[in-house]
Amino acid sequence: MTTVPKIDSKDLNIADILKDFYSVPDFQREYVWKRENVDTLLDDIWDEFTDENGKIVQGPEYFIGSIVVSRGPEGVYELIDGQQRMTTCFLVLCVIRDRLREIDVSAPRTLLSQITDCRLNEETGLEEERHRLVLQYEDSDGFLDSVAKSGGLPAVGSHRDTASIRHLTEAYVTIREYLLRNFRDDRSELLKFLAAFTHRVKLIRIVTPEISHALKVFETINDRGVGLTAMDLLKNLLFMRTDQTKYEKLKGDWKTLVSVLDDAREKPLRFLRYYVVARYEVRGGKPIREDQIYEWFKNNTEQCGIDVHPLRFLAELREAARFYAMFLEGKDQQGREVRYLRNIRVLGGNSYRYHLPFLLAASHLPRDLFVEFSRHLENFIACFLIVRGQTKEIERVMIPWCKLIRQINTRTDLEAFVEQCFQDWTASRASLFMFEMNNLSENRIQKYRLKYLLAKLTQYVDEQAWGNEADTDLARYLDKSVHIEHILSQSPTAEVVEAFDKSDEVREYIPKLGNLALLERSINGSISNDAYGSKRPVYGHSKFLLTKSLAEMPRVGENTQVNRAVADLRTWEVWNSASIEERQEMLTRLALKTWNIPMTENAAAGREPEATQAIESTEAGLATPQNVLRAGIITALESLDGRGKTAKVLELVAQNLAARLTPADRQIRDCGEAVWYNNARWERQRMKDEGILRSDSPHGVWELSAARSDRSNEA
């Protein structure tokens, strides 16, 4: 009697998975995940685990796939399938450990044991230290062992330069940037993320008794597509609704659909989710989750036409997949380039997808209207990302907006939609947009996104001047031959630092947006770390008017298109802290025009919007008391010698009170402002009324009064 080898399958969280030891055999493919793969995994986990204010909240578990292992010698599991996600998860734990060390926090012993632990040697009976995951293929060259053992990235040159090591290094850096961006030095939030990651992220572990069986399971999984259950069930539903004489047609069309998504390297379930939102009426106001997709189709067969015309439904689904793939490449439905879609790819990164439901909903539009729609969509996405909009915000508007988009048939319809949705949303965030732009620096944003922002600002001026889209394609400004120039050099000489008016703050001014410009490589190499006086004439040789204006204001005749395009630009004779701040304000005003952010009369005149009465609490809890905000305002102003602009004062308040701000403080109101931001401005008004702040300061300036000492000490 033949005994069938037992295959064991369990769903386990990361903490349970890493109670065992694993090795990736030497015949396995090396680590190949790129930045966008790691970003996608982390972004998906972040969206699942956080609320609209970016705080870790309790919620459901998050399934990221399966791994196939075989029981190897000495109780070590040999990892046959799933090593990309398993290695990435292991790296996440290593980076969390390293970040905790960087902020002088001892890593929990549980975390350390999930990276490295001891096991008993079955022959000698002695304890041996072993990492939970070991890569045995040649290209890894012990790199992961070094990360697990020593912490941080190994020194350059300590390992061979292989593709696998380059990918592992990129993954480590990407994870570290993610943790810095979302948690900074907040020990509490970082540990909460660690707990959520290890206990709520789950995998299915399939254990086979021998490698041969594991390879067979691996082959079957990759042939059938584990994780695509909703796709399989939808296919079965279509077969049940189709006449047997048309099965071959159905199989062929389905194969084409899957092939299109595979070629686009897109998750089928995400495509189906966005397709439903874009094309159909969805009750409840929120997009369906991936685990609800099949049930939704099953309950809405009449609306989709599956009952009566299953092949027609599949044809529409297949066409939508083709459009979807085109949109991912920055093209329209017929495969023609759309520069605004290419721009969104640059702005959002290769893993960004939240614009796709809107494009699918607009796929019925003719070329001219579709291109115009894409232009406005880019402006909306840019504003959304610059003000650090939360994913849940965009999902809230997805269903109602897609419904309106489906109803667009004429240019008048399109203009009405843009005004009602895109511009209404961005106008409500205009003050927040200006705040973020006025405080933007290169260490607060991904480098690719920073270059996009500079490229768009530079392109806008050139396009307004020359009026020729062909000569001002954004790709020209994003080319590798164009560099981000630091006007005040990244590595200033001692003489340059000494000449700077705020030499003790020079490192704070170097990364500011106002200190950055795009410059052609051929010019950039000739000026190096020179002082502004030496650099300035060279800027005049740039073909980019925004950069050229640093040296001279371009003029062509009287009241010409060029003159009008540069009317809001200016030059600076010297380069100091005031110059950088003034240029940042100039670029902020330029950004409003570049991305077509509607402005209120007060905002356009440089006046602050009125704060509403202080908000004491929200559904997220209590806000920080006003007296604490008052103390924070006074501390910020004292550090600025008693006087500062709104954006700078509020930036310092946010920094000084970072540990005190509550979830209620960070909650975003309908106008796009955080609660604490409104409350701080309300407190400022009270301080003016009480004489602590001057009431006659220029618009946008906060200033302590001469007779403030008694009251400020009391605060």
Side-chain angles (χ1 to χ4, degrees):
M1 181 175 178
T2 304
T3 302
V4 178
K6 182 180 179 182
I7 296 177
D8 180 42
S9 175
K10 291 181 180 177
D11 64 313
L12 303 170
N13 60 31
I14 298 295
D16 289 332
I17 289 279
L18 291 178
K19 289 177 180 177
D20 295 306
F21 296 92
Y22 302 84
S23 69
V24 179
D26 55 8
F27 58 80
Q28 280 285 73
R29 184 177 63 160
E30 70 276 4
Y31 186 75
V32 297
W33 268 21
K34 297 181 180 179
R35 174 183 286 272
E36 53 263 34
N37 303 114
V38 179
D39 270 336
T40 298
L41 176 65
L42 294 174
D43 286 345
D44 288 348
I45 291 172
W46 178 260
D47 290 344
E48 195 70 26
F49 288 174
T50 59
D51 60 16
E52 293 183 1
N53 301 305
K55 291 295 184 180
I56 304 294
V57 294
Q58 295 299 314
E61 298 164 332
Y62 185 65
F63 173 69
I64 62 171
S66 62
I67 60 173
V68 179
V69 299
S70 172
R71 291 188 178 89
E74 301 180 352
V76 176
Y77 287 113
E78 294 191 296
L79 190 58
I80 306 303
D81 186 32
Q83 80 111 331
Q84 307 295 325
R85 62 180 69 92
M86 186 75 167
T87 303
T88 305
C89 289
F90 186 75
L91 279 172
V92 168
L93 298 182
C94 291
V95 179
I96 291 175
R97 175 202 61 190
D98 297 344
R99 279 294 298 139
L100 288 170
R101 289 175 177 173
E102 288 173 10
I103 58 178
D104 295 326
V105 175
S106 298
R109 284 183 295 177
T110 303
L111 170 60
L112 297 178
S113 72
Q114 289 165 348
I115 298 172
T116 306
D117 208 347
C118 292
R119 57 177 300 280
L120 200 66
N121 185 294
E122 294 180 358
E123 293 184 3
T124 66
L126 299 176
E127 273 195 338
E128 297 176 339
E129 188 176 76
R130 184 183 179 97
H131 305 312
R132 293 291 185 183
L133 179 64
V134 176
L135 308 181
Q136 294 184 334
Y137 49 83
E138 185 179 356
D139 275 2
S140 67
D141 196 31
F143 182 88
L144 190 62
D145 290 341
S146 297
V147 172
K149 183 176 182 179
S150 305
L153 286 172
V156 176
S158 60
H159 295 274
R160 292 187 296 116
D161 181 21
T162 67
S164 179
I165 289 177
R166 287 195 295 273
H167 289 138
L168 287 165
T169 301
E170 185 177 48
Y172 183 99
V173 171
T174 301
I175 296 165
R176 187 173 187 277
E177 289 175 351
Y178 167 86
L179 296 179
L180 281 169
R181 188 164 63 249
N182 290 300
F183 305 113
R184 298 182 183 271
D185 293 339
D186 192 328
R187 167 188 177 275
S188 175
E189 288 298 309
L190 186 56
L191 289 174
K192 287 180 184 177
F193 176 76
L194 170 64
F197 183 80
T198 53
H199 288 89
R200 290 167 57 189
V201 174
K202 303 196 79 173
L203 289 156
I204 291 178
R205 186 177 70 181
I206 302 171
V207 183
T208 67
E210 297 176 6
I211 284 185
S212 59
H213 298 119
L215 290 172
K216 184 62 180 176
V217 172
F218 166 77
E219 179 184 45
T220 303
I221 287 175
N222 282 274
D223 181 52
R224 295 180 184 173
V226 162
L228 307 184
T229 307
M231 282 287 282
D232 289 333
L233 292 173
L234 178 59
K235 181 174 70 172
N236 290 337
L237 179 62
L238 291 174
F239 270 101
M240 287 189 290
R241 298 292 190 271
T242 302
D243 188 275
Q244 290 188 5
T245 60
K246 298 178 180 178
Y247 275 6
E248 288 302 315
K249 168 69 173 170
L250 177 60
K251 285 193 293 184
D253 287 354
W254 187 266
K255 184 177 180 181
T256 301
L257 167 67
V258 173
S259 178
V260 169
L261 294 174
D262 283 348
D263 291 344
R265 305 181 75 175
E266 182 52 68
K267 297 178 180 178
L269 296 188
R270 179 163 55 195
F271 161 71
L272 284 178
R273 181 171 179 257
Y274 286 168
Y275 175 77
V276 169
V277 169
R279 294 295 177 87
Y280 301 114
E281 293 286 338
V282 179
R283 297 175 183 173
K286 292 195 303 184
I288 58 174
R289 300 193 311 268
E290 289 186 358
D291 60 354
Q292 298 172 325
I293 290 173
Y294 175 68
E295 283 300 315
W296 188 91
F297 277 116
K298 185 178 176 182
N299 295 330
N300 291 272
T301 54
E302 184 176 349
Q303 182 185 175
C304 301
I306 292 176
D307 281 339
V308 181
H309 300 292
L311 288 176
R312 183 188 300 172
F313 164 80
L314 181 55
E316 293 171 354
L317 188 64
R318 188 184 58 185
E319 181 183 56
R322 184 175 64 82
F323 292 165
Y324 191 93
M326 292 292 185
F327 300 155
L328 283 172
E329 294 178 6
K331 299 176 181 178
D332 70 5
Q333 306 90 312
Q334 285 72 46
R336 295 169 294 188
E337 295 283 339
V338 178
R339 66 171 182 156
Y340 308 112
L341 298 188
R342 293 204 315 271
N343 295 351
I344 292 174
R345 288 183 67 194
V346 176
L347 166 63
N350 290 331
S351 62
Y352 193 78
R353 296 289 189 275
Y354 290 109
H355 61 303
L356 292 170
F358 305 121
L359 292 173
L360 281 176
S363 60
H364 66 288
L365 296 177
R367 164 77 179 180
D368 60 334
L369 294 186
F370 183 81
V371 171
E372 182 68 6
F373 176 84
S374 301
R375 180 173 73 85
H376 290 291
L377 180 61
E378 180 195 352
N379 291 341
F380 164 71
I381 296 295
C383 179
F384 179 83
L385 292 175
I386 289 171
V387 302
R388 303 171 188 269
Q390 296 291 318
T391 299
K392 292 177 177 61
E393 287 184 76
I394 209 167
E395 294 217 336
R396 245 196 330 257
V397 300
M398 203 175 277
I399 289 176
W401 285 12
C402 283
K403 180 178 181 178
L404 293 173
I405 294 168
R406 292 194 297 269
Q407 297 168 7
I408 297 174
N409 292 303
T410 66
R411 185 168 296 276
T412 302
D413 295 340
L414 175 58
E415 291 170 354
F417 168 81
V418 169
E419 182 178 354
Q420 178 183 345
C421 298
F422 288 159
Q423 292 194 339
D424 182 69
W425 194 95
T426 54
S428 69
R429 271 78 174 171
S431 60
L432 187 58
F433 179 88
M434 294 179 70
F435 176 80
E436 291 292 342
M437 288 295 297
N438 270 317
N439 288 281
L440 189 64
S441 62
E442 63 181 333
N443 50 21
R444 293 183 60 182
I445 191 173
Q446 299 94 326
K447 188 171 182 179
Y448 68 85
R449 191 164 291 167
L450 174 64
K451 191 164 185 183
Y452 163 86
L453 296 182
L454 288 168
K456 282 289 291 187
L457 294 170
T458 307
Q459 177 205 40
Y460 177 81
V461 176
D462 289 350
E463 192 164 289
Q464 294 301 304
W466 311 122
N468 188 340
E469 291 187 8
D471 293 336
T472 54
D473 187 0
L474 199 67
R476 174 191 177 203
Y477 304 86
L478 297 170
D479 191 82
K480 292 180 180 179
S481 64
V482 177
H483 289 190
I484 296 178
E485 158 73 358
H486 293 75
I487 303 167
L488 172 61
S489 173
Q490 272 186 300
S491 304
T493 63
E495 292 79 8
V496 170
V497 173
E498 186 176 353
F500 193 70
D501 64 316
K502 294 185 178 179
S503 56
D504 56 334
E505 299 178 35
V506 68
R507 288 293 165 194
E508 294 181 22
Y509 279 90
I510 288 173
K512 285 182 176 292
L513 178 66
N515 188 52
L516 307 178
L518 291 187
L519 190 63
E520 299 91 330
R521 180 191 297 171
S522 56
I523 302 174
N524 184 281
S526 67
I527 55 179
S528 185
N529 300 325
D530 295 346
Y532 180 66
S534 301
K535 286 183 169 187
R536 189 181 176 212
V538 181
Y539 293 146
H541 297 300
S542 175
K543 294 180 180 178
F544 305 143
L545 293 179
L546 185 58
T547 304
K548 190 181 187 73
S549 66
L550 286 163
E552 60 187 18
M553 192 61 64
R555 296 292 179 191
V556 179
E558 294 293 333
N559 194 31
T560 62
Q561 187 169 318
V562 173
N563 291 356
R564 291 192 295 272
V566 301
D568 294 330
L569 307 185
R570 58 168 296 188
T571 60
W572 284 269
E573 296 289 336
V574 296
W575 198 248
N576 53 29
S577 61
S579 307
I580 293 172
E581 290 172 357
E582 289 167 2
R583 187 168 182 270
Q584 185 129 356
E585 290 179 1
M586 181 193 79
L587 294 178
T588 297
R589 292 191 298 272
L590 182 62
L592 293 168
K593 295 181 178 180
T594 300
W595 288 288
N596 194 28
I597 309 296
M599 296 294 293
T600 62
E601 183 179 345
N602 281 346
R607 295 190 290 270
E608 297 173 47
E610 292 295 325
T612 63
Q613 187 166 349
I615 301 167
E616 296 181 358
S617 65
T618 71
E619 60 269 22
L622 294 175
T624 296
Q626 292 300 113
N627 66 317
V628 176
L629 290 175
R630 175 175 294 205
I633 292 169
I634 292 173
T635 301
L637 284 169
E638 288 178 342
S639 71
L640 296 171
D641 297 326
R643 189 175 193 268
K645 294 183 178 179
T646 301
K648 184 63 179 177
V649 174
L650 290 175
E651 179 185 13
L652 291 174
V653 171
Q655 291 175 3
N656 295 338
L657 299 181
R660 295 289 302 271
L661 294 180
T662 68
D665 289 316
R666 300 180 189 278
Q667 188 163 340
I668 303 298
R669 302 167 62 220
D670 290 340
C671 65
E673 280 187 348
V675 166
W676 78 265
Y677 185 91
N678 172 82
N679 288 358
R681 291 192 297 109
W682 177 259
E683 190 61 28
R684 178 232 185 164
Q685 186 60 49
R686 291 178 59 196
M687 293 167 73
K688 286 169 63 178
D689 295 341
E690 295 172 20
I692 297 174
L693 298 184
R694 292 185 59 167
S695 59
D696 58 348
S697 299
H699 290 300
V701 175
W702 299 23
E703 188 172 5
L704 289 168
S705 66
R708 74 184 191 277
S709 56
D710 291 341
R711 288 173 181 167
S712 62
N713 288 335
E714 180 183 345

